[in-house]
Amino acid sequence: MDFTSFLTSLGTSFVIFLVLMIVFAFLSSRPGNNVVYYPNRILKGLDPLEGGYKSRNPFSWIKEALTSSERDVIAMSGVDTAVYFVFLTTVLSILVLSGVILLPVLLPLSVTDHGMKTQTTSNGTFSELDKLSMANITAKSSRLWGFFIACYWVSIVTFALLWRAYKHVSWLRAEALKSPDVKPEQFAIVVRDIPHVPQGQTRKEQVDSYFRDIYPETFYRSMIVTDNKVVNKIWESLEKYTKKLARAEAVYAGSKTTAKPEGTRPTNKTGFLGLVGKKVDTIEYCNEKINELEARLESEQKVTLREKQQDAAVVFFSSRVVAASASQSLHAQMVDTWSVFDAPEPNQLIWPNLKIKYFQRELRQYLVYFIVALTIFFYMIPITFISALTTLDNLVKYLPFIKPIVNIKALKTVLEAYLPQLALIIFLALLPKLLLFLSKFEGNATFFLTYVALKFFIGYGLELSRIVPLIIYHLKRKYLCKTEAELKEAWRPGDLGYGTRVPGDMLIVTIVFCYSVIAPVIIPFGALYFGLGWLVLRNQALKVYVPTFESYGRMWPHIHNRILASLILYQITMFGYFGTQKFYYTPLVLPLPILSLVFGFVCAKKFYPAFQHPALEVAANTLKEVPNMELIFGAYIPPSLRSEKIDGDRVEDALSQASRTTPV
């Protein structure tokens, strides 16, 4: 890519971002769009626009984001969101502090050398931007000392800021866990690998007696995990027909007019997707199915509670200090029996996984690690292939019929600027979906400069403007939504989506780290990505996204380790690059990855235990009210086992009356 194409890419991306920002300012000021641009505030009962529409200007959101505090973010979106902003701030700080030294020192060293006269790339050409990189340094040159010192500077800055961030996130987590508010997960533990039931006891009697003996004063009661596959299916069908009935009634009510006060009753066919089969009155049909499913659900609930018990349980204590202590204690002599873990939030439990035995869990964990490692390794091959294949020269070579189109100068400039980056973005979009599933079971610096620019200008422009969610909402509202529940579902935004957002950010971290010394001009682009991301996502966190869970910053150690992994990859890359430059002191780079590993080890020893389990001094803080243990217990009853007829007490009764087992 030549310099003209690079500037075209950068300028066009910036213009698109400005257009999208203006579009956002206009659309977000329309009252009819409030549910798209301010759903978080609406759900919390706040005024979408404080001060009214007339007091706002297109840049009001920037001031509001900049003046917001960490406490504001926690109040609106939780601790996890605040921790995500610690990540953005930390990386931004690393890049700014690195750039302050690297840009004024390394760029003059590169520009004033003439290494390109004696060196060539694989195709014998250099772009103008290569003059700003380490590629323009003559082999064996004493100027390489500047780049060598820069490697140490970036590493030291990263160590210092990561330490500060880990310490701050630890404080945030402790403050959240000290909260005087009652949280069900702080009074419960998950127990797995329960041994065979002794003769003459039920599973519940076995669990109750075991924990009552150990914690006689604070043990409350247990909930045996059951196989809910069948009851879940019935419950989901019941929910489907309940929603369908509400929709049919809304359609029927809307059909009543002055000219036709009796209205038109909706009908549907009972066959596949409502396209074939007998035609019936929808309201009557749904009522019949609901009555039938309610009876089946009640019957299956009793069967599930009595006959489908698993070797796992949720155990409740009346003290959160005892629950915290129990979650990190060894309860049995053998590690594969009576395994105890912290209880997550009720809606975060993956019930079918609780029955998986200890050694099977260990095997699955290492198998997933292996598959992920292979996936990441082999993705390097297709990424390199796509990066090379989608360059304009190669496309003309392999697809000669497009040559007349490519020869159009304006079109050629645009294609050179965007084609490889768009291809890579589309290709990488497939990776997070695969990694999410597993969790439950030739570019140069110029290429990456335009890739990063495209990511932050176009990506964050679309994030801010929310054009796609806006269009989808209005289409659903006009043609699909008939009830208030359907309308609310149409605009409910979900959370920030850390599972896909953080991996995308980490890709940028890795790219910028690896090229920070080789081509320091990439640093401002990385800083813009994280700075603009901080600004745009601050607005979204305060007004748009609604968290679906809260782990109190438990994701930070994983983010920390991935930043360190990117740093080590950068250090190894620099070792290899210095080697190709025939720098005699290249071995002096080797201490850096060793220092990174030592730093990671020290951080893990100092900070990580408090992320694995809540510290007892934190759990010992006073609550503002006596916990209602019935409500805490009820929070963990799966939705498919809840009903007016089967409440918490009935669940315990049913479990207690399970058939006695015979000796094994």
Side-chain angles (χ1 to χ4, degrees):
M1 179 188 294
D2 59 29
F3 193 63
T4 303
S5 296
F6 171 71
L7 290 180
T8 300
S9 169
L10 188 61
T12 307
S13 298
F14 178 67
V15 169
I16 292 174
F17 175 76
L18 288 180
V19 170
L20 290 173
M21 189 168 68
I22 293 169
V23 168
F24 160 74
F26 173 75
L27 293 176
S28 63
S29 65
R30 306 296 95 184
N33 297 334
N34 280 352
V35 293
V36 175
Y37 293 101
Y38 307 98
N40 193 347
R41 295 185 61 83
I42 291 172
L43 289 172
K44 286 183 169 59
L46 302 173
D47 180 18
L49 291 173
E50 293 181 356
Y53 297 96
K54 294 182 180 179
S55 66
R56 296 181 64 80
N57 63 67
F59 305 102
S60 294
W61 69 274
I62 297 177
K63 180 182 177 181
E64 291 165 359
L66 289 173
T67 56
S68 65
S69 66
E70 190 172 62
R71 190 178 297 274
D72 295 329
V73 173
I74 293 174
M76 294 300 294
S77 291
V79 177
D80 285 333
T81 304
V83 169
Y84 177 69
F85 281 106
V86 172
F87 162 61
L88 296 180
T89 304
T90 300
V91 176
L92 177 60
S93 302
I94 291 171
L95 296 180
V96 170
L97 287 177
S98 298
V100 165
I101 300 298
L102 269 58
L103 290 171
V105 173
L106 300 188
L107 291 183
L109 288 176
S110 299
V111 172
T112 56
D113 205 341
H114 305 286
M116 288 198 305
K117 293 181 179 180
T118 58
Q119 303 177 63
T120 60
T121 57
S122 57
N123 59 8
T125 62
F126 276 88
S127 74
E128 292 90 334
L129 286 171
D130 286 320
K131 295 177 182 178
L132 302 175
S133 72
M134 198 173 168
N136 198 37
I137 300 295
T138 306
K140 303 180 183 180
S141 171
S142 59
R143 294 175 182 236
L144 290 171
W145 275 108
F147 294 86
F148 172 81
I149 295 171
C151 289
Y152 271 84
W153 173 249
V154 173
S155 300
I156 291 169
V157 166
T158 304
F159 294 153
L161 293 178
L162 280 180
W163 181 272
R164 187 182 72 171
Y166 219 143
K167 191 174 181 179
H168 181 61
V169 174
S170 297
W171 178 81
L172 283 177
R173 177 173 169 81
E175 288 299 302
L177 294 176
K178 285 179 182 178
S179 170
D181 298 322
V182 175
K183 299 179 177 69
E185 62 273 16
Q186 292 186 312
F187 293 85
I189 60 172
V190 173
V191 183
R192 306 168 80 173
D193 307 312
I194 300 174
H196 294 299
V197 182
Q199 185 178 5
Q201 276 190 329
T202 65
R203 173 67 74 193
K204 180 167 178 56
E205 289 169 346
Q206 174 198 21
V207 175
D208 285 356
S209 62
Y210 183 84
F211 283 96
R212 189 177 289 113
D213 289 344
I214 301 174
Y215 308 98
E217 297 180 358
T218 53
F219 170 75
Y220 177 63
R221 68 200 221 189
S222 66
M223 178 188 295
I224 306 301
V225 174
T226 53
D227 181 356
N228 300 335
K229 185 177 180 180
V230 176
V231 75
N232 282 347
K233 189 174 181 180
I234 298 172
W235 180 78
E236 288 165 4
S237 297
L238 179 59
E239 288 289 293
K240 182 185 75 172
Y241 281 108
T242 302
K243 291 178 181 178
K244 190 173 181 179
L245 174 61
R247 179 183 176 85
E249 288 175 339
V251 171
Y252 178 49
S255 69
K256 296 178 180 179
T257 62
T258 306
K260 192 177 181 182
E262 72 279 6
T264 303
R265 292 181 69 85
T267 60
N268 68 276
K269 293 182 178 180
T270 59
F272 180 71
L273 296 177
L275 300 175
V276 295
K278 180 183 177 182
K279 192 173 184 180
V280 296
D281 181 292
T282 303
I283 295 177
E284 292 180 357
Y285 178 72
C286 287
N287 276 317
E288 290 174 2
K289 295 297 290 185
I290 288 171
N291 290 333
E292 174 191 334
L293 288 168
E294 283 179 342
R296 285 182 57 198
L297 180 64
E298 183 180 352
S299 175
E300 184 57 36
Q301 284 174 337
K302 294 176 181 177
V303 172
T304 299
L305 289 170
R306 294 187 180 185
E307 301 178 10
K308 298 184 178 180
Q309 299 179 17
Q310 305 291 306
D311 299 336
V314 182
V315 175
F316 301 87
F317 301 92
S318 58
S319 165
R320 66 177 181 178
V321 176
V322 175
S325 177
S327 68
Q328 50 196 293
S329 301
L330 183 65
H331 283 77
Q333 187 70 24
M334 300 298 167
V335 294
D336 59 341
T337 59
W338 296 106
S339 304
V340 175
F341 306 87
D342 292 323
E345 289 184 326
N347 63 340
Q348 291 300 301
L349 270 177
I350 303 177
W351 296 95
N353 284 0
L354 297 182
K355 65 181 180 182
I356 301 173
K357 292 294 187 180
Y358 175 83
F359 290 109
Q360 189 179 355
R361 295 197 302 271
E362 293 290 304
L363 179 62
R364 287 188 178 201
Q365 180 179 344
Y366 289 114
L367 181 61
V368 167
Y369 286 163
F370 177 71
I371 294 174
V372 170
L374 284 181
T375 303
I376 293 172
F377 176 77
F378 284 109
Y379 249 64
M380 295 297 110
I381 298 173
I383 284 173
T384 304
F385 174 74
I386 285 178
S387 301
L389 181 64
T390 53
T391 59
L392 213 53
D393 292 340
N394 283 332
L395 284 177
V396 172
K397 179 180 177 182
Y398 295 115
L399 304 172
F401 61 86
I402 68 170
K403 189 172 183 179
I405 301 174
V406 171
N407 285 336
I408 302 173
K409 187 173 182 181
L411 184 60
K412 180 179 180 180
T413 300
V414 173
L415 289 174
E416 282 185 332
Y418 287 113
L419 188 62
Q421 290 75 30
L422 286 173
L424 183 59
I425 288 172
I426 294 170
F427 184 71
L428 289 174
L430 302 175
L431 181 58
K433 293 178 175 60
L434 174 60
L435 297 182
L436 184 60
F437 166 76
L438 289 174
S439 71
K440 289 185 177 181
F441 179 94
E442 165 182 42
N444 57 27
T446 307
F447 172 85
F448 284 116
L449 282 175
T450 52
Y451 174 76
V452 174
L454 195 65
K455 284 279 285 184
F456 68 72
F457 276 141
I458 307 300
Y460 285 127
L462 290 172
E463 172 70 58
L464 179 67
S465 64
R466 287 182 62 77
I467 289 178
V468 174
L470 180 71
I471 293 172
I472 292 174
Y473 163 70
H474 281 295
L475 287 174
K476 285 184 175 181
R477 181 186 180 188
K478 185 174 180 63
Y479 299 108
L480 298 177
C481 298
K482 302 297 181 182
T483 66
E484 286 298 319
E486 290 176 338
L487 196 61
K488 188 174 182 179
E489 188 65 29
W491 59 259
R492 192 171 184 87
D495 58 24
L496 272 166
Y498 306 109
T500 54
R501 190 178 297 277
V502 173
D505 293 339
M506 287 309 308
L507 176 63
I508 302 299
V509 171
T510 304
I511 291 170
V512 177
F513 267 168
C514 287
Y515 282 97
S516 60
V517 173
I518 296 173
V521 73
I522 201 173
I523 293 177
F525 290 88
L528 272 173
Y529 174 87
F530 288 100
L532 190 60
W534 186 97
L535 190 66
V536 171
L537 293 175
R538 196 80 163 190
N539 178 80
Q540 308 301 76
L542 293 170
K543 300 171 184 174
V544 179
Y545 292 116
V546 179
T548 55
F549 64 90
E550 178 63 84
S551 70
Y552 309 106
R554 207 164 186 171
M555 64 182 179
W556 176 255
H558 305 284
I559 293 176
H560 170 91
N561 289 341
R562 281 151 183 76
I563 296 175
L564 266 185
S566 298
L567 183 69
I568 292 171
L569 181 61
Y570 145 75
Q571 292 161 344
I572 294 172
T573 300
M574 291 312 303
F575 177 79
Y577 207 92
F578 277 117
T580 61
Q581 290 289 80
K582 300 178 182 178
F583 183 55
Y584 293 125
Y585 301 96
T586 296
L588 294 179
V589 179
L590 284 177
L592 283 177
I594 298 173
L595 283 174
S596 297
L597 292 172
V598 171
F599 175 77
F601 177 79
V602 172
C603 286
K605 288 295 183 182
K606 181 176 178 64
F607 299 112
Y608 186 60
F611 285 82
Q612 280 185 301
H613 307 290
L616 299 185
E617 66 176 5
V618 170
N621 276 263
T622 307
L623 293 167
K624 66 181 180 183
E625 60 183 0
V626 177
N628 186 326
M629 296 307 299
E630 282 299 307
L631 291 179
I632 291 172
F633 180 84
Y636 279 89
I637 299 176
S640 59
L641 294 178
R642 294 176 187 166
S643 72
E644 295 179 1
K645 297 180 180 179
I646 300 188
D647 54 13
D649 290 324
R650 291 289 298 277
V651 168
E652 184 170 15
D653 290 342
L655 293 173
S656 299
Q657 295 167 12
S659 57
R660 304 279 169 172
T661 59
T662 56
V664 178

